[in-house]
Amino acid sequence: MLRFTAHRARWVADETWHPDQQSRWVDNGHYELSVPYSNDKELIMDILKYGPDVEVIAPDALKESIKIQLDRARSQYG
């Protein structure tokens, strides 16, 4: 599950990531999106393009993969 900031939510809500996606608006204006996937490589690229406007809530393995990618990117800038 991905949680998008209220700032980014209105754009993401108009996108179709997967035909079987599930989504909901959260009281604070955030948007939560759940998409089925089998290969996380493409999904990770899609998530990373939203930078600080998205948080991976679950599953833990996807969350960890995002952390690793962000750590690698950060290490290139000292």
Side-chain angles (χ1 to χ4, degrees), residues 37-58:
Y37 68 95
S38 57
N39 184 339
D40 65 0
K41 288 183 186 351
E42 184 178 352
L43 182 58
I44 288 170
M45 289 190 306
D46 287 337
I47 292 168
L48 290 173
K49 74 180 180 183
Y50 289 99
D53 290 320
V54 64
E55 177 186 3
V56 176
I57 304 302

Side-chain angles (χ1 to χ4, degrees), residues 6-52:
H7 172 74
R8 188 61 58 195
R10 62 182 178 204
W11 288 285
V12 175
D14 289 337
E15 295 180 15
T16 300
W17 290 44
H18 190 281
D20 296 328
Q21 71 187 34
Q22 295 180 350
S23 62
R24 71 182 185 117
W25 288 95
V26 183
D27 291 340
N28 58 6
H30 287 78
Y31 182 73
E32 292 183 345
L33 177 66
S34 180
V35 293
Y37 68 95
S38 57
N39 184 339
D40 65 0
K41 288 183 186 351
E42 184 178 352
L43 182 58
I44 288 170
M45 289 190 306
D46 287 337
I47 292 168
L48 290 173
K49 74 180 180 183
Y50 289 99

